[in-house]
């Protein structure tokens, strides 16, 4: 990353963390490198395949470079904080992927995220969604955004009575995510009729709020399905005029989602800018199964849909040992100004700063003058 992009990313990182702090989120910094058994506890095969692995030269044990920060934050909540009440946590740091998750994507995202532990109600789901939207506003996303909602419990309910091995279930999930109707029909040929028909119906259930009415008609009338559809309707009504769509077959992302899940899209992004949802089981492997909901985004990808920021205004100063100059420069910098001292012979060079003012000496005093 060259100076303009690096500055934009760093300023954006600060804005996102400040926005999360405004909601009461506390910053945590999990390690990039961990013993593999700790890093991958309870995360499933998908995350294991995305994780770079190496051998510790001191102990001979296997180490991993994190591919996702959420499991680490869950362990912080479970073991290190161990609070009884609500914990709001946020983070921002690099993750590494063995493969890009789509064509032309980076293998080194700068992952920002925020999570709420300890509250199982829709209030926490709503707060996380509102924080995600506020983060995009703070970042300067001008194009309209669409919040796409789904719920992992719907597909889980449709598979509840199915006797199939894990590999088959994984292929069913892949067919749903790819909207592969013929592949799904083949995979579910031996499933109970209600499950098979429900899964095939889910493929067509995407669009506006009317999708929820259609789902109530086409899907089995079970308590889990009714609860999921009712909560999706409530969440959509709480998003303060945001454009909302639904895709009840959306199963993309890591396998630890247990309820509501969402993606936020905007023009210019090849995929969702933000992904998140409820993952109440994520802390179970650490001995503390607390309600959890959150989201994450890649700061580098977010920068790609934003307009370039203008050069930072600065003050140009001569390189000199003249009396009072050093003291004046130090005072300006202490007030937050950028002062660029021009080295001899480089007066006409252009760099990352827009020098719209200059320090000049007048009657023995150094003063700032607009250029």
């Amino acid at each position: 990353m060259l100076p303009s992009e690096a500055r934009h990313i760093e300023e954006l990182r600060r804005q996102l963390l400040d926005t999360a702090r405004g909601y009461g989120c506390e910053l945590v910094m999990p390690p990039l490198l961990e013993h593999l058994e700790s890093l991958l506890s309870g995360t499933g095969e998908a995350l294991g395949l995305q994780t770079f692995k190496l051998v510790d030269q001191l102990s001979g044990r296997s180490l991993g470079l994190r591919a996702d920060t959420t499991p680490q934050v869950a362990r912080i909540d479970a073991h290190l904080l161990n609070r009884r009440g609500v914990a709001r946590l946020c983070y921002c740091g690099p993750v590494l992927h063995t493969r890009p998750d789509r064509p032309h994507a980076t293998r080194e995202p700068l992952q920002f995220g925020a999570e709420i532990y300890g509250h199982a109600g829709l209030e926490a789901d709503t707060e996380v969604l509102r924080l995600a939207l506020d983060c995009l506003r703070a970042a300067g996303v001008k194009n309209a955004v669409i919040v796409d909602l789904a719920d992992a419990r719907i597909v889980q309910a449709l598979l509840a009575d199915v006797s199939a091995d894990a590999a088959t279930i994984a292929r069913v999930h892949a067919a749903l995510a790819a909207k592969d109707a013929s592949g799904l029909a083949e995979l579910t040929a031996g499933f109970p009729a209600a499950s098979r028909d429900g899964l095939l119906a889910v493929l067509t259930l995407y669009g506006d709020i009317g999708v929820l009415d259609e789902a109530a008609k086409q899907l089995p009338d079970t308590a889990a399905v009714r609860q999921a559809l009712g909560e999706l309707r409530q969440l959509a009504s709480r998003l303060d005029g945001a454009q909302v769509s639904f895709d009840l077959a959306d199963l993309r992302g890591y396998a630890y989602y247990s309820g509501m899940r969402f993606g936020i899209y905007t023009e210019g992004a090849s995929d969702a800018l933000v992904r998140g949802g409820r993952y109440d089981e994520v802390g179970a492997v650490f001995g503390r199964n607390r309600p959890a909901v959150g989201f994450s985004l890649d700061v580098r990808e977010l920068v790609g849909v934003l307009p370039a920021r203008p050069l930072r205004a600065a003050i140009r100063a001569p390189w000199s040992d003249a009396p009072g100059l050093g003291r004046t420069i130090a005072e300006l910098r202490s007030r937050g100004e950028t002062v660029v001292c021009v080295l001899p012979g480089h007066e006409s060079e252009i760099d990352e700063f827009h020098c719209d003012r200059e320090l000049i000496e007048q009657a023995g005093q150094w003063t700032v003058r607009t250029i």
Side-chain angles (χ1 to χ4, degrees):
M1 290 174 285
L2 298 179
S4 290
E5 183 184 9
R7 176 172 61 89
H8 196 167
I9 286 173
E10 174 58 19
E11 290 175 354
L12 187 55
R13 183 189 69 84
R14 296 178 189 180
Q15 286 178 311
L16 294 171
L17 289 173
D18 286 345
T19 302
R21 184 172 59 186
Y23 276 70
C25 294
E26 300 170 275
L27 179 64
V28 293
M29 294 181 178
L32 179 63
L33 184 69
E34 283 202 63
H35 288 119
L36 200 59
E37 63 271 19
S38 298
L39 190 65
L40 297 182
S41 294
T43 59
E45 181 183 12
L47 199 57
L49 292 173
Q50 278 283 59
T51 301
F52 279 102
K53 303 171 181 70
L54 61 154
V55 176
D56 183 2
Q57 297 299 308
L58 293 179
S59 67
R61 297 171 64 186
S62 294
L63 301 174
L65 293 162
R66 67 175 178 227
D68 181 32
T69 311
T70 292
Q72 294 181 298
V73 178
R75 192 170 73 243
I76 288 173
D77 173 71
H79 285 176
L80 301 180
L81 292 179
N82 198 28
R83 294 174 181 169
R84 290 188 176 183
V86 169
R88 293 176 173 89
L89 305 177
C90 64
Y91 59 85
C92 190
V95 296
L96 297 173
H97 295 164
T98 56
R99 306 180 185 88
D101 56 13
R102 62 187 180 280
H104 310 298
T106 179
R107 295 199 296 167
E108 190 182 349
L110 180 60
Q111 189 181 50
F112 164 80
E115 304 178 6
I116 300 176
Y117 292 89
H119 186 77
L122 278 179
E123 297 84 359
D125 297 20
T126 304
E127 184 170 309
V128 158
L129 276 159
R130 288 175 175 170
L131 172 55
L133 290 168
D134 279 350
C135 282
L136 295 184
R137 293 187 193 104
V141 174
K142 301 300 184 185
N143 295 331
V145 298
I146 299 174
V147 181
D148 196 59
L149 292 171
D151 198 302
R153 290 172 295 182
I154 293 174
V155 172
Q156 291 169 3
L158 295 173
L159 291 171
D161 297 326
V162 172
S163 297
D165 58 38
T168 299
I169 297 300
R171 289 196 292 271
V172 168
H173 286 169
L176 286 168
K179 301 282 194 292
D180 181 2
S182 60
L184 185 62
E186 182 178 345
L187 286 165
T188 59
F191 287 10
S195 296
R196 180 180 66 249
D197 294 344
L199 290 168
L200 290 171
V202 161
L203 282 181
T204 67
L205 294 174
Y206 56 91
D208 59 20
I209 192 72
V211 164
L212 301 183
D213 297 325
E214 283 300 311
K217 297 174 185 176
Q218 297 186 41
L219 299 181
D221 186 22
T222 65
V225 170
R226 285 196 303 273
Q227 181 180 1
L229 295 177
E231 290 184 3
L232 288 175
R233 191 180 298 275
Q234 282 186 269
L235 279 173
S237 71
R238 293 176 173 179
L239 294 185
D240 304 324
Q243 186 175 350
V244 180
S245 64
F246 302 86
D247 184 354
L248 302 189
D250 185 8
L251 296 171
R252 287 172 292 176
Y254 297 122
Y256 46 65
Y257 287 109
S258 62
M260 177 278 298
R261 48 189 296 149
F262 66 90
I264 303 180
Y265 297 82
T266 191
E267 184 181 350
S270 60
D271 197 7
L273 273 182
V274 182
R275 285 200 179 276
R278 182 161 285 280
Y279 30 82
D280 290 342
E281 306 298 322
V282 73
V285 71
F286 307 120
R288 198 155 185 251
N289 198 6
R290 298 230 297 161
V293 60
F295 71 89
S296 66
L297 61 85
D298 177 8
V299 180
R300 295 175 65 174
E301 185 176 4
L302 179 56
V303 164
V305 303
L306 299 175
R309 295 196 173 185
L311 297 179
R312 183 181 177 90
I315 300 169
R316 185 171 63 201
W319 184 266
S320 170
D321 293 322
L325 177 59
R327 184 173 61 253
T328 302
I329 290 173
E331 182 180 343
L332 287 167
R333 287 172 175 165
S334 72
R335 300 205 304 255
E337 295 281 6
T338 297
V339 182
V340 179
C341 292
V342 179
L343 297 173
H346 298 271
E347 289 80 6
S348 62
E349 292 183 4
I350 299 173
D351 56 20
E352 174 63 13
F353 301 98
H354 171 53
C355 292
D356 58 350
R357 292 154 294 161
E358 64 179 350
L359 263 180
I360 60 170
E361 187 178 18
Q362 291 181 325
Q365 299 291 323
W366 289 96
T367 60
V368 178
R369 181 181 70 179
T370 300
I371 298 175

